[in-house]
Amino acid sequence: MPAPTNRAQKPAQRRMNNAMPNPAYNPRRAQVNPYAGARQQRPAQGGSAKKSKKQPIPVKKNRRRERDYFFIMRRGVCALMMILSLLWIAVIALNYLAILPEYTSFLIEPDLTPMDERLPVEVLDEEGNPVVDEEGNPVVNEYEDKSTYISFIDPIFGALNKVFGVAMTDENGASKSPFYDGVIEDLVPAETADAENKGEEKPEGEASKIIAEAAGEEDAEEGEVNDGEEGESISKPIEMTDELKAQARAEDTRYSLATMVFEYFPILLAVGAVFALVIFLISLFSLFGRRIYRGFFWLSLIMVIAGVAAFFAGMVAMGNNLGAPYYLEDGVTLVSIIDFTQVTYFLTGAFTGAPETALDPTVSVMPLEMVAGYGLLIVVALPIIMLILSLFTKRKVPYSIFDK
């Protein structure tokens, strides 16, 4: 007897009940999210759907490689840099204050009176009679050194007047830079001579002919050469006329450079003093705190340039004092205003002092009448030391030290 059927059952449900089951049917795959389409078709917020903007393609940036070390300041080196820069500034300041000129001057015109001639001098009264003390002994004064010390402030004041037009005079109206003004006055005429001779080709041997005419001879003969005390050959300069001097200046390839260096070196010196002050300050700050300071190398390099310029300016002043450029007796050899053969004597002249006895200029090498002062040696040497030390102001420390 068939099972009773529910007449109220819908025809579709009856067909499902009577259908055979499908073995390939998987109800999990057949599940569909009824809200998937609704989510995709949901309008944008704020009313009507807006046109979506095109999103830019993200660019992958190269990340900076992380270092496995960091820097710290070497306080010992920074302290030494601070002391050296302070000493460099002190040389300029002491020149301005006129303190210890024998140890801080730019150039020295040493007293070359032989030591055996430096005798005590009796003190005379108004009538010319010797003054005696209580015991009846004549009063004598020890020999007073007559060396002249040229300050760094003289060329600095001179450059302010010549380059920037700042009047540098004292209460009486006299110039505060007599040395600088005198050297410039000797050097500047060369610029006029060069301008007059510019483009004129001098025939070969012209200088020798001028020398011969000045000596009253048709041809210049080779000068006599004497042997010095140390076996060095000594050649004397010819007496220079104005025409011969102009010719020597025109042929000296270093003359125009020498003029420019001497004229502008005080400006470099003042800039070097400012940079020395900056090095002093950052060296002082490096001793405290953990901040890393840079720029020691470039600041020291500017100071080196200022010191080298001062050295060449001193060589120019020394050559001008000797009357260079000039020709020797052979009529061919030209001694430049920057004579590198005199560098050793120029740098060590302050240490040698006066000779023991009088020298014969015909057989002996005479000492220079203008040499580098101790201040110039300090200004040249200290920046070189500071430049070397600037390479060691920082130390590299690896982060691995914190792993211990």
Side-chain angles (χ1 to χ4, degrees), residues 90-165:
V91 169
I92 306 298
L94 292 176
N95 274 261
Y96 179 76
L97 300 174
I99 300 176
L100 299 175
E102 59 272 18
Y103 300 108
T104 60
S105 61
F106 171 40
L107 296 171
I108 301 175
E109 294 179 349
D111 183 5
L112 299 177
T113 304
M115 300 301 295
D116 58 357
E117 297 180 8
R118 299 190 176 195
L119 303 176
V121 181
E122 292 184 353
V123 180
L124 303 178
D125 57 13
E126 296 179 355
E127 299 178 356
N129 300 322
V131 179
V132 296
D133 57 10
E134 298 177 354
E135 299 179 356
N137 299 322
V139 178
V140 295
N141 290 335
E142 296 296 330
Y143 180 83
E144 185 178 354
D145 194 343
K146 300 180 178 62
S147 299
T148 303
Y149 301 98
I150 301 170
S151 170
F152 280 108
I153 303 302
D154 184 297
I156 291 177
F157 283 167
L160 289 176
N161 183 21
K162 180 173 177 57
V163 179
F164 299 103

Side-chain angles (χ1 to χ4, degrees), residues 211 223 235-238 240 326-335:
I211 294 173
S235 201
K236 301 177 183 178
I238 192 80
M240 301 289 289
Y326 57 82
Y327 293 99
L328 298 182
E329 287 181 336
D330 57 6
V332 178
T333 305
L334 174 66
V335 178

Side-chain angles (χ1 to χ4, degrees), residues 154 158 175 177-189 262 320:
D154 184 297
S175 174
S177 56
F179 170 75
Y180 180 86
D181 297 341
V183 175
I184 289 294
E185 187 177 354
D186 292 339
L187 297 177
V188 165
F262 190 85
N320 182 73

